[in-house]
Amino acid sequence: MQPYLVSVSRLHEALAFERALEQLVTARRLSSGVEDDVALSLWEGIIMAEMNWKDEAAGAFKAALFLQPDAQLPVRVSPRISEQFDSLRKDVKHSLARRGEATAQVADTPHEEPAQPSATEVPPAARTERTPRSRALLPAIIGGTLAAAGGVSWALSRGELSKLQNTDPTLADLESVDRSVSRGRTLQTTGVGLMSAGVLGLGLAAGMYLLGAPTERGSVSLGTDGRSAFVSGSLP
């Protein structure tokens, strides 16, 4: 993971934002926990904010802050980005505080017990009804993240296509054209793969919410070999 983050930092300094996003997409498959996820989401937010993708940047920053509300940006940024990040941090902390208060209120609410309870009054199904729905959150988060990453990759591929169609001045020779075509194809393939996996995860979450969930835990890994995107493992 660390070599990718160093590469992203250098590309950011060189204003090579599209290449930095490509590195982040590749690095996602190497994430080994919350710390890596936070670092990747913070860099995604910074790069997208530099490209003036305000909504996408906000989504990436929030993804990091919900995992680690006190997270700090890895590099110095412009006042515009810093103000956006600080504002989102306040929103996230406020949202988490409200959730905590709601949980505390539910815990403090007294529950009346019947004088003579019977087995028929509280069937087992009623006691376990919330469990499948709570488990549906994991595939929903995974699906949403994959779909968002796929959207970013697809948008970048459209940027390469626009360069080719509009005869961008940076495409001065055949070699630069070939590189642009190759990069566009890779981004397009990756975007389609990620969005497909994201739709699968969101569909599974909906099914789990409505119909129930299996007991096994799932694991999913995501990667690309430079020409195609692949998802392996099993979802819960």
Side-chain angles (χ1 to χ4, degrees):
M1 176 64 68
Q2 191 60 31
Y4 281 99
L5 294 179
V6 172
S7 175
V8 169
S9 177
R10 291 176 177 173
L11 290 171
H12 171 258
E13 293 178 359
L15 306 181
F17 300 135
E18 293 183 358
R19 291 180 59 193
L21 282 178
E22 292 176 21
Q23 289 285 65
L24 289 170
V25 170
T26 303
R28 276 289 179 187
R29 63 188 177 93
L30 300 177
S31 176
S32 59
V34 172
E35 185 177 351
D36 289 344
D37 290 339
V38 170
L40 291 170
S41 294
L42 289 175
W43 270 115
E44 285 178 352
I46 292 171
I47 300 300
M48 292 175 181
E50 294 283 10
M51 299 176 72
N52 206 30
W53 295 359
K54 297 181 180 179
D55 293 340
E56 292 84 351
F61 283 145
K62 283 186 176 181
L65 290 170
F66 271 113
L67 292 174
Q68 193 177 104
D70 294 323
Q72 301 295 326
L73 294 176
V75 293
R76 295 185 62 180
V77 296
S78 66
R80 172 179 61 86
I81 299 176
S82 180
E83 290 173 3
Q84 180 188 22
F85 184 72
D86 290 339
S87 176
L88 291 171
R89 188 200 301 279
K90 293 179 181 178
D91 293 343
V92 168
K93 287 189 173 182
H94 180 66
S95 178
L96 292 174
R98 291 181 60 185
R99 292 182 186 180
E101 292 174 359
T103 302
Q105 290 176 359
V106 172
D108 294 338
T109 301
H111 298 279
E112 297 183 359
E113 297 292 341
Q116 295 180 347
S118 63
T120 58
E121 291 176 348
V122 186
R127 293 196 297 267
T128 60
E129 183 178 358
R130 292 184 181 180
T131 301
R133 290 187 175 184
S134 64
R135 291 179 179 174
L137 180 62
L138 176 60
I141 293 175
I142 294 175
T145 301
L146 293 177
V152 172
S153 184
W154 178 266
L156 292 175
S157 73
R158 297 302 88 187
E160 294 298 330
L161 177 60
S162 177
K163 288 182 180 180
L164 294 170
Q165 291 178 337
N166 298 323
T167 315
D168 192 279
T170 59
L171 305 179
D173 51 41
L174 184 58
E175 183 179 355
S176 61
V177 171
D178 289 340
R179 284 199 302 268
S180 179
V181 171
S182 177
R183 185 162 53 247
R185 288 176 178 173
T186 299
L187 289 169
Q188 178 175 302
T189 303
T190 302
V192 172
L194 291 174
M195 287 189 288
S196 299
V199 171
L200 175 63
L202 293 173
L204 180 60
M208 291 172 64
Y209 184 83
L210 296 174
L211 304 177
T215 58
E216 298 108 351
R217 294 187 177 182
S219 63
V220 176
S221 63
L222 167 68
T224 177
D225 59 5
R227 296 184 178 180
S228 60
F230 56 88
V231 178
S232 61
S234 61
L235 290 170

